[in-house]
Amino acid sequence: MKLVFATNNAHKLREVQQTVGEAFELVSLKECGITEDIPENEPTLEGNAFVKARYIYSRTGLNCFADDTGLEVEALGGEPGVRSARYATDGHDDEANKCLLLERMEGKENRAAQFRTAMALILDGKEYLFEGIVRGKILHEQRGEGGFGYDPLFAPEGWDCSFAEMSAEDKNSISHRGRAVRKLAEFLNK
Ligand code: ITT
């Protein structure tokens, strides 16, 4: 089955393709001719995921899904949350975002945090929502070279390393997006 996945992030596309398997051919935004930025101005992850999915469905008429992910830090009242991509600047500046997070976490004893993904699917015009969460903690400094985004600062529960120090397979097996995508794949396979 062909499905449009609403992302321009090559890391995410690879991660998700690995998780859903070969039964689904994922098509990126670029591949279906959408080059403009889709606005993500909703106050929730779910809202943003649906805005993206509806936009693609109305432009292409193709079955599609879209995700929005946020890093929710307990000591910061759930921040950066829905603003994770635009935490430090208007753009997607990963380095600036990580620096700001470390700055805001200075002196905080409670390091608990979670990544949460909301995944919106539109299948033959009907809408569905899937969620994935992974709990963990914010490290005091960056560790590892793999992954992307906030990965070097996040250590998942039960692991003695950051997401950026894990193989893509290990990260996928426990990650927020991995969990949401497996729920989506299970639903599609039914
Ligand atoms: P698209 O919108 O094109 O899919 P994006 O990188 O903006 O790509 P999100 O809006 O879902 O993806 O991500 C929001 C922020 O959270 C952004 O700063 C990402 O780098 C970060 N993020 C998302 N998933 C992550 C993950 O698995 N590990 C670390 N950081 C992640």
Side-chain angles (χ1 to χ4, degrees):
M1 184 197 286
K2 220 176 206 178
L3 277 172
V4 181
F5 177 30
T7 189
N8 285 316
N9 180 328
H11 286 277
K12 271 166 72 166
L13 192 70
R14 218 174 306 130
E15 269 188 18
V16 172
Q17 181 71 70
Q18 255 174 24
T19 311
V20 295
E22 284 165 13
F24 304 96
E25 185 195 335
L26 299 191
V27 181
S28 70
L29 286 178
K30 231 185 255 161
E31 284 168 318
C32 68
I34 298 180
T35 48
E36 66 275 24
D37 267 345
I38 307 173
E40 296 182 37
N41 299 324
E42 295 295 310
T44 62
L45 298 174
E46 290 77 6
N48 277 335
F50 271 119
V51 163
K52 284 195 269 185
R54 287 180 195 133
Y55 184 91
I56 295 157
Y57 194 72
S58 68
R59 276 278 309 269
T60 66
L62 297 170
N63 290 329
C64 58
F65 65 97
D67 82 320
D68 198 20
T69 292
L71 176 62
E72 301 173 331
V73 182
E74 220 172 79
L76 302 178
E79 290 241 310
V82 72
R83 294 176 48 247
S84 293
R86 288 157 280 127
Y87 193 34
T89 66
D90 269 353
H92 285 60
D93 188 337
D94 285 347
E95 285 310 315
N97 286 339
K98 286 181 287 187
C99 276
L100 181 60
L101 178 60
L102 280 179
E103 208 179 291
R104 298 258 159 103
M105 288 301 284
E106 256 171 47
K108 303 260 192 262
E109 270 179 34
N110 178 5
R111 314 290 295 186
Q114 63 180 25
F115 273 114
R116 191 163 71 84
T117 291
M119 182 83 65
L121 167 72
I122 303 187
L123 191 67
D124 301 328
K126 283 205 188 118
E127 298 188 347
Y128 305 88
L129 179 70
F130 306 90
E131 185 186 61
I133 290 175
V134 59
R135 296 200 166 80
K137 63 177 188 200
I138 303 299
L139 296 167
H140 290 272
E141 60 195 8
Q142 299 200 44
R143 283 175 58 179
E145 304 291 328
F148 68 100
Y150 295 92
D151 277 347
L153 287 178
F154 183 83
E157 234 169 51
W159 292 69
D160 193 21
C161 58
S162 78
F163 260 170
E165 293 175 308
M166 293 168 71
S167 68
E169 290 73 24
D170 283 344
K171 181 186 167 190
N172 257 337
S173 72
I174 58 162
S175 80
H176 45 301
R177 196 163 27 258
R179 287 180 172 152
V181 175
R182 277 191 294 281
K183 287 183 190 169
L184 175 127
E186 230 169 74
F187 171 83
L188 291 170
N189 279 314
K190 258 199 243 154

